[in-house]
Amino acid sequence: MKRRDFLKISTATGLMSIGGVRLSQAQSSFSGPYWMLIEARGGWDPTSFCDPKGRGLGPNGDINNYDQGDIGTVGNFAYAPPPDSFAGGGGLFSNQEFFTNHFQRLVVVNGIDVGTNSHQVGRTASWSGTRSGSHPSIGAIIAGATAPEFALPFITNSSSESGVTKGLVPTSTVSGGSLNVIREVAFPNRSNVFNSNADRQYFADNVYGQISAASTARRQRQIASQRLMRIKDAQVLHDGVRSVDATTIGMFVDQLSNASTPNTFVQSRRDADRLFDQSQTAFAAFESGAAAAAQIDLSSFDTHNDHDARHYPKLMDYLAAVDNIIQDAIDRGLGNNLIIVMASDFARTNRYNNDNGKDHWPHGSMMVWGPPAYINGNRLVGATDDEQRSINLNPNTLAVDPNGGIELTMEYVHQALRNIAGVDQSATAGQYPFTEAVLPIFS
């Protein structure tokens, strides 16, 4: 029984999924890597972390409120110091700590021309590789190509542009009420979806066993009495996969109770703690064999006023959470089988506006963390000039080439992401092709 066959038949016959969850066949031979896509929603400011500029640059000489001489370096990366208003760090996590901890497995891609100032279009481009809206998220591409038979191949924290699947895999939102629905689907006899105690059940085990047996017998009678072969085939497929997927989803739900505790600093920061908490749902899905890719996010990066006061702490909380997520992955034994992609809608302007904020700017950055088997770490690709505008690159060497070369776009970056995922030549990716060559961005 193939999941794709069931989806085709169930679509043709109008069979519906349960609570937004389509039960699929047993997990395939997927061996990784798992993919965690961590979105900074609203448009982050790369000059505040991975593409530092400082005073004296930009059209008004005020790209940032820190001195160029305070820019730090570790490995092949330069990182931004705190703005002057946070002199001494202000009790926040720091770029220095993040890059020192992770530079050896990190690739920073600067100077990506996202090609838009629209949030919706920017998120679409950043997570699918194209502004057109014609392609699914990279998470859906990877899950569809490598783990289409998983119960929840690609899980997301929201249903926005960053999690579009285009029908390659089911849309599985695993936050809030949607996650509670999954809990109920996994354990319909539990009267409290957050408690696995036997005394919190609607029926005793022996009674519920009789109900389940009666339900199975009823389904078999319905199948036997069905005369339309198309519907009968769909019923047979559904009946054959439901028990296996229910087991996997049950394992996922139970694994949610084994969440790690964030470190003391992350616990003290609401935004960092919230992002770390989302990662626990992703890890539960990975470890239970329910999912191969996950999208999580932290919002409110759209700082059109009081940029330094609002944006910098948010950004440091984001990086603090990612730092803790990486350590947790290593502690779980997933460190060599996990790739983390960090991206945003676009960047923020090369100047402050009249409200001390920064507006939308298309010349942005992406960071990717992963094990040596998949990416060549301590690697900086791309650049922006002194006015924070993307500089063209030589397509062979990736050296900056202001007088020629190619413009680095999300299409190129996503083609390279598909390549390290091993899906760029797959039939799944072939449904949503890019015309650009594969650049050696991560190798």
Side-chain angles (χ1 to χ4, degrees):
M1 299 177 187
K2 292 297 183 182
R3 177 177 178 277
R4 289 190 180 92
D5 295 335
F6 168 64
L7 292 179
K8 289 177 182 178
I9 294 174
S10 61
T11 299
T13 58
L15 293 176
M16 301 299 291
S17 59
I18 302 174
V21 180
R22 288 187 178 181
L23 303 179
S24 61
Q25 193 186 11
Q27 64 185 54
S28 63
S29 57
F30 176 82
S31 59
Y34 299 99
W35 287 72
M36 187 179 291
L37 315 175
I38 308 182
E39 178 181 11
R41 185 181 293 265
W44 63 9
D45 181 8
T47 68
S48 292
F49 63 109
C50 67
D51 191 16
K53 299 299 178 186
R55 289 193 183 91
L57 301 178
N60 296 334
D62 64 349
I63 290 183
N64 303 104
N65 286 320
Y66 58 75
D67 291 335
Q68 294 181 48
D70 291 333
I71 293 172
T73 60
V74 59
N76 291 319
F77 305 119
Y79 60 85
D84 289 350
S85 55
F86 288 93
L92 299 175
F93 193 73
S94 69
N95 286 316
Q96 180 180 15
E97 186 170 358
F98 180 82
F99 283 97
T100 299
N101 289 347
H102 305 298
F103 77 96
Q104 292 180 324
R105 288 191 171 194
L106 191 67
V107 175
V108 173
V109 187
N110 288 331
I112 307 170
D113 190 349
V114 183
T116 183
N117 286 332
S118 161
H119 286 295
Q120 180 177 357
V121 178
R123 286 193 291 267
T124 297
S126 292
W127 296 107
S128 73
T130 176
R131 300 188 300 271
S132 68
S134 60
H135 287 31
S137 160
I138 182 67
I141 288 283
I142 292 170
T146 62
E149 297 174 349
F150 274 27
L152 307 168
F154 174 42
I155 63 171
T156 69
N157 186 56
S158 66
S159 57
S160 73
E161 300 82 9
S162 48
V164 171
T165 68
K166 297 292 182 181
L168 281 180
V169 292
T171 300
S172 302
T173 304
V174 291
S175 62
S178 297
L179 183 55
N180 290 342
V181 169
I182 293 175
R183 294 177 189 270
E184 292 172 349
V185 168
F187 297 104
N189 193 38
R190 289 182 182 176
S191 60
N192 184 334
V193 295
F194 297 100
N195 194 306
S196 60
N197 293 336
D199 60 351
R200 296 293 185 91
Q201 299 182 158
Y202 290 111
F203 304 100
D205 288 340
N206 63 326
V207 176
Y208 186 69
Q210 295 176 35
I211 294 173
S212 298
S215 176
T216 299
R218 180 175 181 271
R219 293 197 310 273
Q220 294 301 320
R221 289 196 301 272
Q222 289 176 326
I223 293 172
S225 64
Q226 180 57 247
R227 295 184 179 182
L228 293 176
M229 291 306 299
R230 185 175 61 179
I231 296 178
K232 187 170 186 174
D233 288 343
Q235 289 176 326
V236 170
L237 285 168
H238 182 271
D239 199 55
V241 303
R242 60 181 291 156
S243 62
V244 175
D245 272 359
T247 298
T248 300
I249 295 176
M251 292 169 61
F252 163 55
V253 170
D254 281 343
Q255 190 66 22
L256 291 171
S257 64
N258 295 324
S260 301
T261 301
N263 64 40
T264 302
F265 179 81
V266 168
Q267 287 184 66
S268 72
R269 303 290 301 181
R270 183 187 64 177
D271 287 331
D273 187 58
R274 185 167 56 192
L275 187 58
F276 182 86
D277 182 65
Q278 293 177 48
S279 77
Q280 298 306 293
T281 303
F283 284 138
F286 296 159
E287 292 174 338
S288 63
Q295 175 267 328
I296 62 178
D297 63 77
L298 184 62
S299 61
S300 301
F301 283 89
D302 196 24
T303 47
H304 291 280
N305 57 63
D306 297 326
H307 176 77
D308 289 356
R310 296 173 55 213
H311 196 98
Y312 186 73
K314 177 79 64 173
L315 187 58
M316 293 305 102
D317 285 350
Y318 176 98
L319 293 180
V322 175
D323 173 76
N324 201 171
I325 289 168
I326 290 173
Q327 185 57 56
D328 187 40
I330 293 171
D331 293 343
R332 289 169 175 267
L334 292 175
N336 289 323
N337 205 23
L338 175 70
I339 294 175
I340 296 176
V341 180
M342 295 160 267
S344 190
D345 313 15
F346 35 62
R348 308 214 72 80
T349 46
N350 57 3
R351 70 190 80 185
Y352 292 84
N353 60 30
N354 292 334
D355 294 317
N356 291 317
K358 290 188 177 184
D359 302 316
H360 302 173
W361 190 247
H363 306 282
S365 300
M366 176 184 286
M367 299 198 300
V368 179
W369 178 94
Y374 298 103
I375 71 169
N376 183 13
N378 191 20
R379 183 173 175 80
L380 175 64
V381 176
T384 57
D385 62 18
D386 288 349
E387 292 198 352
Q388 197 187 335
R389 300 178 188 275
S390 302
I391 304 175
N392 283 7
L393 303 180
N394 180 294
N396 297 313
T397 66
L398 298 186
V400 295
D401 186 3
N403 299 316
I406 60 166
E407 178 184 61
L408 185 61
T409 64
M410 278 296 178
E411 286 85 348
Y412 280 113
V413 176
H414 275 258
Q415 187 75 299
L417 287 173
R418 291 182 179 189
N419 180 256
I420 62 170
V423 303
D424 55 313
Q425 300 299 316
S426 69
T428 300
Q431 299 177 57
Y432 303 96
F434 295 124
T435 57
E436 290 80 357
V438 177
L439 301 182
I441 293 175
F442 302 104
S443 58

